[in-house]
Amino acid sequence: FTVRPEAPTSFPRMDTSLNSIGLYYSTSTGNTETVAGYISTAVGVEAEEIGNVSGDEIMQHEAIIVGAPTWHTGADEQRSGTEWDQWLYSTLPKLDMTGKKVAIFGVGDQESYGDNFCDAAGELFDLFQARGAEMKYGHTSQEGYNHNESKAVRGDKFCGLMCDEDNQYDLSEDRVKNWVSQLKKEGFM
Ligand SMILES: Cc1cc2nc3c(=O)[nH]c(=O)nc-3n(C[C@H](O)[C@H](O)[C@H](O)COP(=O)(O)O)c2cc1C
């Protein structure tokens, strides 16, 4: 057998395809962070708070997963009530997302806010699309949710993965696993 002269304390990431995926979220009370954590585990990349990253950092990735909660019920703009509100209107307009693959996730409360379930996810979708990103990845069925309306619906589907840590926290991890499998099948990663 061969002996390594010096065992490395940490291994460099060997799979370069993983390095090309970025995972960004924001949170107010931690729920979106929880879901981002499930995605992080399923994909094998670290989740980062959007408030801590520059536009340049994000642009290094070929595929980007972004997620937000909704706090500003019924708002047309700045629906998240988190760092996204700033980032989407000050940083994103300076970035050319042409050719970038972007997948969205949202976290909301379908029972208390059933007319505005995960509205901020729809705002992320529209604004990334407006910058030229490819937004066809990770759309999901509305089945299994109890909302009336959502600005995150495109056609008859959600424009990404929607999770509800207030009412369906026990479904989130499996929803994430299925969604990540879907993203792989769709060629997102
Ligand atoms: C004042 C208030 C307003 C909210 N508005 C909405 C809403 O419009 N749509 C929605 O889906 N959830 C709404 N929610 C629920 C939060 O989005 C939900 O609890 C989410 O998990 C919070 O995520 P966070 O912990 O990452 O901030 C609201 C919650 C509160 C307390």
Side-chain angles (χ1 to χ4, degrees):
F1 65 93
T2 51
V3 179
R4 267 183 220 219
E6 222 176 276
T9 49
S10 72
F11 293 93
R13 288 206 180 116
M14 301 308 281
D15 186 342
T16 51
S17 68
L18 287 182
N19 287 333
S20 70
I21 299 168
L23 170 56
Y24 304 101
Y25 71 97
S26 64
T27 187
S28 192
T29 58
N31 291 335
T32 310
E33 185 170 34
T34 298
V35 174
Y38 297 147
I39 298 172
S40 168
T41 303
V43 176
V45 294
E46 271 195 35
E48 290 184 73
E49 281 208 72
I50 190 63
N52 299 337
V53 290
S54 66
D56 284 350
E57 253 176 280
I58 286 192
M59 294 305 284
Q60 287 168 6
H61 301 290
E62 189 188 315
I64 302 163
I65 301 173
V66 288
T70 299
W71 285 88
H72 291 161
T73 312
D76 283 333
E77 291 192 349
Q78 305 197 320
R79 296 173 194 160
S80 171
T82 66
E83 295 279 351
W84 277 118
D85 294 349
Q86 176 76 9
W87 196 90
L88 291 172
Y89 293 93
S90 62
T91 303
L92 182 59
K94 297 179 198 142
L95 306 177
D96 180 3
M97 289 276 159
T98 308
K100 300 278 182 204
K101 302 181 223 178
V102 174
I104 306 281
F105 69 101
V107 181
D109 176 344
Q110 64 198 289
E111 301 295 347
S112 300
Y113 302 93
D115 290 334
N116 296 92
F117 182 49
C118 290
D119 279 1
E123 184 181 16
L124 263 62
F125 183 89
D126 290 340
L127 294 175
F128 275 93
Q129 186 171 53
R131 298 306 306 146
E134 279 185 47
M135 307 299 301
K136 64 185 176 189
Y137 304 97
H139 295 209
T140 60
S141 168
Q142 294 182 68
E143 262 174 56
Y145 300 82
N146 191 33
H147 58 294
N148 297 318
E149 281 188 58
S150 168
K151 292 190 182 78
V153 171
R154 298 292 175 279
D156 61 352
K157 289 190 161 182
F158 285 127
C159 63
L161 172 71
M162 303 307 141
C163 288
D164 185 337
E165 289 292 295
D166 295 289
N167 307 290
Q168 297 179 331
Y169 64 91
D170 49 339
L171 299 183
S172 296
E173 206 167 354
D174 278 348
R175 280 178 171 161
V176 163
K177 281 181 191 159
N178 291 336
W179 189 59
V180 170
S181 304
Q182 179 185 337
L183 288 175
K184 286 178 180 165
K185 276 188 214 128
E186 290 174 350
F188 179 83
M189 61 181 93

